[in-house]
Amino acid sequence: MSRKSDEPSVSSTDLLGGRLRPLLNLLADGEVHSGESLGDVLGVSRAAVWKQLQKLESLGLQVISEKGRGYRLCGGLDLLDEHTIRGQLARDVAPLLCGLQVVDQVDSTNARMLAALDAGAGHGQVLLAEQQTAGRGRRGRAWQSPFASGISISIGWRFSGGVQLLEGLSLAVGVALARALARFDVPDLRLKWPNDVWCRGRKLAGVLLELSGDLTDRCAVVIGIGLNMRLPAAVAEAIEQPWIDLAEVRPGISRNLLVAAMLDELLPMLSAYPDSGFGAWREAWQALDQFAGAEVCLQSAQQRWCGIERGVDGSGALLLDIDGECRAFHGGELSLRPAGSRAP
């Protein structure tokens, strides 16, 4: 689809009002800064600096006070920056991006993007948040997103031809993510049907697709992605399945460069998908299939099927060999687990 220069951008209020970003920018280097120097740069009193530092702690950030010296942010921060991301996009990808917004805190990037699409905007728009307060994954699960510890991104895209055109899209998104991560030599990447990226047998990223509009004609989709980069131990305890973050396997990757690589892979895929469909991505997905040839079980709200996983068909449906009969299962609310797994 062509870009409309007058298309409105995604409407999303930064719940911190942007007031803490200047302080975050100063402390992001992880070095010690005196209260006086912080106040001078920000143009506020030391008392005002102290109040802002307390708000940072409410975000789960650990501010260290060193007597007689000042304050530092434990571990520093790699903050997202719109201009850096735009500057790293491939030349042929930049025209596909109709809008890019980075906010400090939001309830849900997917919810905001859906609202933008329903209001008539949103195509080719990208929303990134340092933190989500109500992020969600498949089947209503909460997605943990501590401040600046991962990537929480939503992309809005409009399609003509109805929801049937979008078969297999979540799997193609997974392939695009794996290719973006491979640019940074992230090892042992695999895909778990229908929408997870795994690394070394554990979940690294998840994809949540949500639809809007006329499902038989012109419809829109929000592609929501959550990716773990450096999860604090306290947050990790709340995750109910095996997980991994990039800090464990490939530390030091720039969040901004990774986002640019993700968009380099995702935006052309979305643009071409109406013509290519999942067929162009099936072989690549199967080459990364985490459970190819393994005994697995599929679980719905009321039923359970177990058999040998045989990859996916041309629409992205999972093929399961059950007692010699190959059956196809489409995504929806189905959950795939290794046979014998008690994971939720």
Side-chain angles (χ1 to χ4, degrees):
M1 296 184 182
S2 62
R3 174 178 176 176
K4 296 181 180 178
S5 59
D6 59 345
E7 184 172 272
S9 62
V10 175
S11 174
S12 182
T13 303
D14 185 340
L15 298 185
L16 297 181
R19 292 186 297 275
L20 296 183
R21 175 59 70 147
L23 178 60
L24 283 169
N25 289 338
L26 293 173
L27 295 175
D29 60 9
E31 301 296 326
V32 177
H33 298 265
S34 70
E36 182 178 3
S37 66
L38 291 172
D40 288 344
V41 175
L42 298 174
V44 299
S45 67
R46 293 182 65 178
V49 169
W50 173 245
K51 289 181 180 178
Q52 290 192 26
L53 289 169
Q54 289 179 309
K55 290 180 180 178
L56 293 187
E57 292 186 335
S58 72
L59 296 175
L61 301 176
Q62 186 179 2
V63 179
I64 306 297
S65 176
E66 297 193 2
K67 189 174 182 179
R69 298 188 64 206
Y71 309 93
R72 65 181 176 87
L73 203 56
C74 186
L77 286 177
D78 179 17
L79 295 170
L80 296 170
D81 179 75
E82 174 190 343
H83 300 292
T84 302
I85 295 169
R86 286 183 179 274
Q88 294 296 320
L89 292 176
R91 184 175 300 178
D92 60 336
V93 172
L96 300 174
L97 180 65
C98 296
L100 173 64
Q101 186 175 11
V102 177
V103 297
D104 289 335
Q105 191 182 66
V106 74
D107 49 2
S108 162
T109 56
N110 262 30
R112 297 301 179 98
M113 190 62 72
L114 279 170
L117 289 166
D118 288 341
H123 175 70
Q125 300 277 346
V126 174
L127 177 61
L128 286 151
E130 295 287 8
Q131 182 179 41
Q132 294 185 99
T133 59
R136 59 193 189 278
R138 289 182 70 237
R139 308 178 76 188
R141 293 196 182 99
W143 181 268
Q144 302 293 333
S145 57
F147 196 92
S149 66
I151 292 174
S152 298
I153 182 172
S154 291
I155 303 170
W157 208 267
R158 296 188 182 277
F159 293 90
S160 298
V163 69
Q164 192 171 15
L165 182 72
L166 307 183
E167 287 183 334
L169 180 59
S170 67
L171 282 71
V173 170
V175 174
L177 291 177
R179 289 177 175 177
L181 289 161
R183 295 189 186 191
F184 299 89
D185 297 321
V186 177
D188 306 319
L189 291 168
R190 308 293 287 173
L191 299 176
K192 173 180 171 288
W193 185 88
N195 52 10
D196 288 349
V197 179
W198 278 31
C199 178
R200 294 183 175 171
R202 289 170 282 164
K203 185 171 180 176
L204 175 65
V207 178
L208 177 64
L209 267 56
E210 297 187 272
L211 303 176
S212 175
D214 186 349
L215 301 187
T216 63
D217 187 15
R218 289 183 58 83
C219 64
V221 63
V222 173
I223 300 97
I225 299 164
L227 187 147
N228 303 325
M229 294 204 70
R230 188 179 65 177
L231 290 184
V235 173
E237 293 175 359
I239 301 177
E240 298 178 338
Q241 59 182 300
W243 62 272
I244 196 169
D245 59 17
L246 289 179
E248 180 177 336
V249 294
R250 192 66 75 211
I253 296 175
S254 161
R255 295 169 75 218
N256 289 299
L257 296 186
L258 180 52
V259 169
M262 290 165 61
L263 295 178
D264 275 352
E265 297 289 347
L266 287 164
L267 296 184
M269 181 274 289
L270 291 168
S271 180
Y273 206 80
D275 296 322
S276 71
F278 177 64
W281 299 87
R282 182 187 179 195
E283 184 177 348
W285 191 93
Q286 298 207 130
L288 294 169
D289 184 0
Q290 170 72 25
F291 292 109
E295 293 186 22
V296 299
C297 291
L298 276 180
Q299 183 75 51
S300 70
Q302 298 178 333
Q303 288 184 275
R304 180 179 175 91
W305 304 267
C306 295
I308 306 298
E309 202 254 65
R310 301 298 188 193
V312 294
D313 67 13
S315 69
L318 185 77
L319 300 176
L320 196 61
D321 184 337
I322 303 175
D323 297 328
E325 178 187 358
C326 193
R327 297 180 58 183
F329 295 83
H330 294 268
E333 294 302 305
L334 293 175
S335 178
L336 174 68
R337 295 284 182 255
S341 172
R342 294 183 178 273

